[in-house]
Structures are given as structure tokens and as C-alpha cells.
């Protein structure tokens, strides 16, 4: 498959993106390169649910305990289980890193491709989501703050743009802060469990360093239909030190 860069991608990321490795098409998993930024533990080849880096009740009052329990223990756990079941049907995929599978879905057999996309995406997205939150949040400073200001005008303008992406995602999906193939920052949103690693599937490709789950299961118990209130609350628990760490790691990929 020889994938062409769409005009919108070109405009979004600039001409330098054409030189980016992630846009060179799919010639096998080896081309995708390492993107292992977050822990995706495996036992005996099977993915396992990563533990939350804090207790279920520690994001209160912003994110409620029961939502965190169900979200991690039921929703995320189901993505892991379904991903493992799919991969068991294709032993040739071996211990391929999840990042490589998602980065080159075209190379995954069609019989399990949709499951890897939906449940592998679900696993990756949630593993990232838990990592970029912490009780009480942390402060945005340093090179990431400077890069955000350079890209979006100010931290406040970035937050507005990100929140808008989260608000305007119709139905279920995610909002992202992405390090693009040309090493700039972009805000994006994807439907369902798609994410910016999915070259050839989503427009906004790159390395996600911050993600916000806007599926109703992420907020309905506490906020019901008030997605905007959930987004406002969520900013209070963003772990900027972790996002800054992921930013530095993404620049080195
Ligand atoms: Mn979710």
C-alpha cells in the first residue's frame, strides 16, 4: 500500500511532515519505529491491565470514585481482554509492540484488524489517560509550556482549543495534544478508540502526549450530559510533569 498524504494533513503539519518517518507508508512493522512512551505491561505475551498510578478515590472531587472504578476495572479491562483474544488468533504477530500494531493496522490481518483498532486503541488510550492525570494535577512549566505558548499563542488559548476539540467530538472519542512528525504541537480529536498513532487511519498522526476520554462512560455518572463541566473539572487533575516528560520522549523518537 502506498498511502498518499492528504491536502489537509499537509496543511495541518506543514511540508516538513513529508519527510517524517510516520508518513512513509506501510512496508511492515519494522518501519514504524519505537514509540513505547507509556507502560503496556505483558505477562506471558498477554497484555495485562496496568494498575492505576493512584487510588480510585484520589481524583475526587473532580473525577468520582465509582466512575474511576468502572472505567478502569470494567471498560479498560475489557479492551485488554478483547485485544488479547484477537491477538491469540494471529500468533504470527508474536510479541509485536502495541504501538507498532496501531501504527500499521494495514499490516494486521483483516480478520482481527477492527478488533485491534478498537480494543488495542482502547488499551493504549486508557493506559495513556491514567498516566497523564494525578491527584491535584501538577504545574505546566519548562520547555513544554514554551512550546505550547509558541504553537497556540498562550496556555489559555491552547486549553480553549483542546476543550473545543473535546466538546465538538460528536458521540464517543478523544481529544489529543500531539507531537507531529515535524516535531510541532497540534490539537486533534478522533472518534471511538482511534488515536494519532494510527497512520493511514486518522488524519492527525503523531505521538499523543495528552489525551482526554470523552466517551460518556468517562463522565456520565457524575456529570450526566454535561460534558463541558467534565472537561473543566478534568483540567484540575492533568499531570503536566508527566506530559512534559512524554513531550521530551516524543521529540527523541
Ligand atoms: Mn474510556
Amino acid at each position: 500500500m502506498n498511502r498518499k498524504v492528504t491536502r489537509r494533513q499537509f496543511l495541518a503539519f506543514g511540508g516538513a511532515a513529508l519527510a517524517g518517518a510516520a508518513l512513509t507508508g506501510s512496508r511492515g512493522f519494522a518501519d514504524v519505529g519505537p514509540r513505547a512512551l507509556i507502560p503496556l505491561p505483558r505477562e506471558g505475551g498477554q497484555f495485562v491491565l496496568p494498575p492505576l498510578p493512584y487510588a480510585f478515590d484520589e481524583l475526587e472531587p473532580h473525577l468520582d470514585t465509582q466512575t474511576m472504578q468502572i472505567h478502569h476495572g470494567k471498560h479498560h479491562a475489557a479492551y485488554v481482554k478483547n485485544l488479547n483474544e484477537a491477538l491469540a488468533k494471529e500468533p504470527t504477530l508474536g510479541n509485536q509492540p502495541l504501538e507498532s500494531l496501531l501504527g500499521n493496522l494495514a499490516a494486521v490481518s483483516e480478520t482481527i484488524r477492527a478488533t485491534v483498532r478498537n480494543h488495542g486503541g482502547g488499551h493504549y488510550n486508557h493506559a495513556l489517560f491514567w498516566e497523564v492525570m494525578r491527584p491535584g494535577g501538577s504545574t505546566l512549566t519548562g520547555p513544554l509550556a514554551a512550546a505550547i505558548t509558541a504553537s497556540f499563542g498562550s496556555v489559555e488559548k491552547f486549553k480553549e482549543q483542546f476543550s473545543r476539540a473535546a466538546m465538538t467530538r460528536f458521540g464517543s472519542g478523544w481529544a489529543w495534544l500531539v507531537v507531529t512528525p515535524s516535531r510541532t504541537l497540534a490539537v486533534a480529536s478522533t472518534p471511538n478508540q482511534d488515536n494519532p498513532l494510527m497512520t493511514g487511519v486518522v488524519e492527525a498522526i503523531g505521538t499523543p502526549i495528552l489525551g482526554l476520554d470523552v466517551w460518556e462512560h468517562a463522565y456520565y455518572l457524575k456529570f450526566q450530559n454535561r460534558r463541558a463541566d467534565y472537561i473543566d473539572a478534568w483540567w484540575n487533575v492533568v499531570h503536566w510533569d508527566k506530559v512534559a516528560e512524554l513531550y521530551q520522549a516524543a521529540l527523541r523518537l
Side-chain angles (χ1 to χ4, degrees):
M1 189 187 89
N2 213 350
R3 200 172 60 79
K4 292 201 168 75
V5 179
T6 68
R7 178 172 162 77
R8 283 182 69 184
Q9 268 176 340
F10 185 84
L11 293 175
F13 294 142
L18 287 172
L23 285 175
T24 52
S26 47
R27 294 180 303 243
F29 294 114
D31 289 323
V32 176
R35 291 175 186 264
L37 296 192
I38 53 166
L40 297 165
R42 290 172 112 149
E43 284 172 14
Q46 301 253 299
F47 287 102
V48 294
L49 182 65
L52 277 186
Y54 33 77
F56 292 117
D57 63 358
E58 281 189 293
L59 301 183
E60 293 269 9
H62 310 294
L63 303 192
D64 67 287
T65 306
Q66 192 187 9
T67 296
M68 290 299 294
Q69 287 168 332
I70 297 170
H71 201 175
H72 180 264
K74 303 292 184 191
H75 291 277
H76 189 175
Y79 297 126
V80 173
K81 177 174 180 285
N82 292 327
L83 172 63
N84 283 329
E85 286 176 7
L87 293 177
K89 293 177 191 162
E90 290 290 337
T92 52
L93 292 176
N95 284 348
Q96 203 56 244
L98 183 55
E99 295 87 347
S100 301
L101 296 172
L102 299 179
N104 199 351
L105 283 165
V108 174
S109 127
E110 207 174 337
T111 51
I112 65 164
R113 189 179 303 149
T115 309
V116 171
R117 177 177 176 176
N118 292 331
H119 297 271
H123 178 32
Y124 190 91
N125 297 348
H126 288 82
L128 174 66
F129 187 51
W130 311 133
E131 287 285 317
V132 296
M133 298 190 287
R134 79 181 285 275
S138 62
T139 309
L140 172 56
T141 57
L144 176 60
I148 283 177
T149 301
S151 295
F152 302 100
S154 68
V155 171
E156 276 318 302
K157 282 183 183 154
F158 155 71
K159 285 187 175 180
E160 283 168 25
Q161 193 175 325
F162 186 99
S163 296
R164 200 178 316 123
M167 265 314 286
T168 55
R169 165 52 52 197
F170 181 75
S172 299
W174 290 75
W176 305 103
L177 175 61
V178 180
V179 178
T180 71
S182 50
R183 302 296 185 263
T184 58
L185 291 171
V187 163
S189 112
T190 53
N192 305 314
Q193 295 297 354
D194 287 355
N195 73 37
L197 298 180
M198 297 179 180
T199 306
V201 173
V202 304
E203 284 191 14
I205 59 160
T207 307
I209 59 171
L210 176 66
L212 173 58
D213 188 344
V214 295
W215 284 55
E216 282 188 344
H217 70 225
Y219 61 88
Y220 205 83
L221 289 177
K222 181 177 168 74
F223 297 97
Q224 294 81 51
N225 61 321
R226 291 171 283 115
R227 187 189 284 187
D229 292 352
Y230 160 66
I231 296 167
D232 285 347
W234 175 76
W235 287 115
N236 292 300
V237 293
V238 172
H239 189 355
W240 284 112
D241 291 337
K242 173 57 74 173
V243 183
E245 192 186 307
L246 296 176
Y247 174 60
Q248 293 302 327
L251 291 178
R252 290 192 296 266
L253 287 180

